[in-house]
Amino acid sequence: MDQCRSIPFGDRLRIEADQICVDYNGVVALYDASLHLRAGCICGLVGMNGSGKSTLFKALMGFVRPSRGTIQINGLSVPRAQRDQAVAYVPQSEEVDCSFPISVWEVVMMGRYGSMNLLRIPRESDRLAVWHALERVELLDLRHRPIGALSGGQRKRAFLARAIAQRASVLLLDEPFNGVDVRTEKLMAELFLQFRHEGHTILISTHDLSHVREFCDLVVLINKTVLAYGETAEVFTPENLAMTFGGMVPNVLSGGPTSTEDFK
Amino acid sequence: MTELLATATATGLSWLLEPLSHEFMVRALVVSALVGGVCGLLSCYMTLKGWALMGDAVSHAVMPGVVVAYALGLPFSIGAFVFGVGSVALIGFVKQKSRVKEDTVIGLVFTGFFALGLVLVSKTRSNIDLTHILFGNVLGISIADIQQTLLISGIVVAILLVLRRDFMLFCFDPTHARSIGINTGLLHYLLLSVLSLAAVAGLQTVGIILVVAMLITPGATAYLLTDRFDRMTLLAILSSALSSVLGVYISYWTDSSTAGCIVLVQTVLFLLTFLLAPRYGILKVQRSLAP
Ligand SMILES: Nc1ncnc2c1ncn2[C@@H]1O[C@H](COP(=O)(O)OP(=O)(O)OP(=O)(O)O)[C@@H](O)[C@H]1O
Ligand SMILES: [Mg+2]
């Protein structure tokens, strides 16, 4: 993965998480999880259901408070990084009220709020950012639609566009490929590669292991803790996957057509 | 024919103008239109956030505050505000520290406060008129009360206008608000404080029992009419102010409860919208057959 090694963006770490422990009312969801990501790379987060992927995202965003460990984004504390618009987050499922009287355009504009003044009056640059974000996810034609009048996959793209419009250097995407069609999947993969090229750091959780091979420079295998972490070529091995999935290894490593159905 | 039209216009005009010869009616109309507009603006956030029950709770919980303030000779709005915010804080605290569900906690706290208010009224030897607190007394509103209402309305409108985008985002997607560094805890309590203030203003015109209608009905009506947030706020303000003015007139001419008339007009407007709204009305007067 030499695109990743020849970093033109300095080797400052974008995400530094050290020995994170998270529990929900005493039930441990994550322990001793560490993760260091530099600028300009895509990191895949892989693990079973309930392995703590979403929990890791929430910890990185400060939505759950780790009982131990430290997190820094762009060398700043999480709240500071958020105020600087250094990090954008798209949750696994948006818990929004889809009958809210608001258009796609306005939703994406919300990505810009953090960079606006107190009254949140959009400037030309904000409108441009929204326009480009919508263009990149191919939703420009639907920008005047109410958000509730989009299909599930389109809505997902709209929320991705909101994160893009934020122009953050770190993107945290929790299962962005869930429920989107093949075409959109391709579109998104290309987008992510472009973002990496522009120096963004992207953390993506996914259940589709073929994605990891396609465009992730780094991979993190987790099951309540980080089992393995490193360059995809080194870490994404049958043994490691067997460890992650408790013996079940999807046949994505043999180089053949990637199908997640035929397990070994 | 023209004669008939002329008499009809004359009757209509006198229906509108005659009450204006009384100073108390002018005051009532101005105050209720203002309060209606303010509550209408806030009602958009209440309905979208799903805070109808919260509105009910806060408006009932201000009762002991009103009584205490009267007894101490303070402006009643101060007492009401303290108890309104206090009830909200208590609801938040109990919910966080126990496993009881939120709507139960809300019901529990506000009835408790309201009961306290009733006991206080019966035990305070003063000239508090319970029915005025419960059902409003906009026809007999004093200059001092008008000044308080003006001040409260000004504060509410200022906060809601300056932070309207933040509150919209807060209602729509608090997670995103947090992720871009907006202090949602602050917004939450600010919106609840604004709610307490609006409840105080509203109880001037329609009283504690019915103020919740002012805080949700206009928003619900506007919500059925549009898919745009800004248009929704405008429609809610308009429908609410209009209902208030119309309600005061009807109450004058029929000599019936002002609070009842105001809220009834609001309800009728809602029902009409519910039936006839272009897209979301149940009769769907137009389209929907097109492919
Ligand atoms: N709010 C919560 N309260 C209590 N336990 C929780 C909560 N959220 C998650 N958990 C538990 O924490 C563990 C990790 O959950 P998490 O959502 O991080 O898994 P995940 O890896 O994202 O799974 P999936 O692939 O299904 O999205 C699970 O065992 C889950 O039951
Ligand atoms: Mg998850």
Side-chain angles (χ1 to χ4, degrees), chain A residues 98-256:
Chain A
C98 277
S99 55
F100 206 92
I102 192 174
S103 67
V104 174
W105 177 272
E106 288 171 297
V107 169
V108 178
M109 189 58 89
M110 287 175 166
R112 304 293 311 158
Y113 279 12
S115 322
M116 294 180 190
N117 60 17
L118 183 66
L119 292 173
R120 319 286 182 205
I121 297 168
R123 282 159 303 182
E124 195 51 39
S125 58
D126 297 313
R127 276 190 282 272
L128 262 169
V130 172
W131 182 278
H132 286 312
L134 281 168
E135 205 167 36
R136 284 182 119 163
V137 301
E138 299 188 345
L139 272 185
L140 256 187
D141 296 342
L142 301 181
R143 65 185 181 278
H144 297 305
R145 284 251 188 111
I147 188 75
L150 294 188
S151 76
Q154 290 168 338
R155 209 171 290 151
K156 228 162 158 137
R157 265 147 63 195
F159 288 117
L160 179 62
R162 181 171 70 180
I164 295 172
Q166 213 179 320
R167 302 225 163 122
S169 51
V170 175
L171 286 168
L172 304 177
L173 309 172
D174 199 351
E175 305 205 12
F177 295 105
N178 236 2
V180 300
D181 61 27
V182 190
R183 202 181 112 79
T184 309
E185 209 173 294
K186 219 169 136 134
L187 176 100
M188 279 161 64
E190 276 161 18
L191 255 178
F192 298 154
L193 288 172
Q194 236 172 311
F195 282 140
R196 172 179 68 189
H197 189 70
E198 292 163 17
H200 292 78
T201 301
I202 311 178
L203 183 62
I204 297 180
S205 72
T206 177
H207 286 295
D208 188 336
L209 301 185
S210 62
H211 289 143
V212 177
R213 280 204 330 168
E214 271 167 39
F215 56 78
C216 291
D217 312 304
L218 301 166
V219 61
V220 180
L221 302 176
I222 77 169
N223 190 5
K224 301 217 181 291
T225 186
V226 174
L227 300 172
Y229 162 55
E231 306 276 321
T232 307
E234 290 157 27
V235 171
F236 215 52
T237 60
E239 300 77 50
N240 279 341
L241 283 176
M243 180 167 72
T244 311
F245 290 97
M248 305 277 273
V249 185
N251 180 23
V252 287
L253 299 165
S254 55

Side-chain angles (χ1 to χ4, degrees), chain B residues 28-155:
Chain B
L29 284 168
V30 170
V31 169
S32 51
L34 178 70
V35 170
V38 170
C39 290
L41 173 60
L42 183 60
S43 71
C44 295
Y45 298 95
M46 293 297 118
T47 45
L48 289 174
K49 188 77 191 160
W51 273 3
L53 188 58
M54 204 57 135
D56 205 15
V58 169
S59 54
H60 280 79
V62 301
M63 166 99 163
V66 176
V67 182
V68 169
Y70 267 123
L72 297 179
L74 293 169
F76 78 99
S77 53
I78 292 181
F81 180 70
V82 168
F83 275 78
V85 171
S87 71
V88 164
L90 193 62
I91 289 169
F93 180 77
V94 175
K95 197 192 82 179
Q96 216 171 44
K97 298 286 173 191
S98 78
R99 49 180 299 196
V100 183
K101 288 205 174 62
E102 183 170 27
D103 62 334
T104 312
V105 178
I106 293 176
L108 202 146
V109 169
F110 91 71
T111 46
F113 272 66
F114 190 64
L116 175 66
L118 284 180
V119 172
L120 285 180
V121 168
S122 64
K123 279 285 148 202
T124 319
R125 256 178 297 119
S126 69
N127 51 354
I128 306 174
D129 192 337
L130 184 60
T131 55
H132 286 176
I133 300 179
L134 293 184
F135 304 110
N137 180 31
V138 73
L139 296 185
I141 194 166
S142 70
I143 292 290
D145 285 350
I146 292 181
Q147 284 167 345
Q148 276 185 55
T149 310
L150 277 177
L151 184 66
I152 293 172
S153 305
I155 296 172

Side-chain angles (χ1 to χ4, degrees), chain A residues 49-115:
Chain A
N49 288 142
S51 57
K53 300 184 293 297
S54 300
T55 303
L56 179 59
F57 281 113
K58 286 176 193 162
L60 288 175
M61 287 307 284
F63 294 164
V64 296
R65 183 186 290 274
S67 53
R68 258 194 61 194
T70 56
I71 298 172
Q72 288 203 319
I73 292 176
N74 267 1
L76 304 168
S77 71
V78 174
R80 191 59 219 288
Q82 286 170 335
R83 261 178 277 136
D84 283 4
Q85 309 303 308
V87 54
Y89 166 59
V90 182
Q92 184 169 357
S93 56
E94 293 284 346
E95 289 139 12
V96 301
D97 166 16
C98 277
S99 55
F100 206 92
I102 192 174
S103 67
V104 174
W105 177 272
E106 288 171 297
V107 169
V108 178
M109 189 58 89
M110 287 175 166
R112 304 293 311 158
Y113 279 12
S115 322

Side-chain angles (χ1 to χ4, degrees), chain A residues 85 99 101 110 113 120 162, chain B residues 165-166 173 176 180 223 229:
Chain A
Q85 309 303 308
S99 55
M110 287 175 166
Y113 279 12
R120 319 286 182 205
R162 181 171 70 180
Chain B
R165 292 287 165 219
D166 292 52
D173 191 351
H176 177 69
I180 60 173
Y223 180 60
F229 184 79

